[in-house]
Amino acid sequence: MPGPVSDTAPPLYWKMRKLANSGHPRAADLRREANLLEQAVLGGTAPVSKVVGVWARARKLWCECTGEPLV
């Protein structure tokens, strides 16, 4: 998928893309979740519950890849 349609993509999107581009072993997962997050947030038509769910899955993956605490 192409990059973000806007510089207003969520910060987690940018962090995930940067980590994926650094050659992380889970780069494909990071890109997929980042793109889903971007679509949910910038699409403007997804219900809040879907946006939160997409963000939570992206955040969980981020924490798995970086060792950052989930909470």
Side-chain angles (χ1 to χ4, degrees), residues 22-46:
S22 74
H24 193 279
R26 294 188 68 187
D29 295 333
L30 287 161
R31 285 188 186 100
R32 182 189 68 246
E33 292 300 324
N35 288 336
L36 290 172
L37 179 61
E38 177 200 21
Q39 290 172 358
V41 171
L42 298 180
T45 58

Side-chain angles (χ1 to χ4, degrees), residues 2-71:
V5 295
S6 168
D7 287 339
T8 60
L12 182 56
Y13 168 90
W14 295 106
K15 293 191 315 187
M16 292 176 81
R17 296 293 294 189
K18 184 176 181 181
L19 183 59
N21 291 338
S22 74
H24 193 279
R26 294 188 68 187
D29 295 333
L30 287 161
R31 285 188 186 100
R32 182 189 68 246
E33 292 300 324
N35 288 336
L36 290 172
L37 179 61
E38 177 200 21
Q39 290 172 358
V41 171
L42 298 180
T45 58
V48 172
S49 59
K50 177 173 171 110
V51 174
V52 171
V54 171
W55 177 85
R57 284 188 298 279
R59 173 78 178 145
K60 182 177 184 257
L61 176 62
W62 171 257
C63 291
E64 288 173 0
C65 291
T66 64
E68 187 176 306
L70 187 57
V71 259

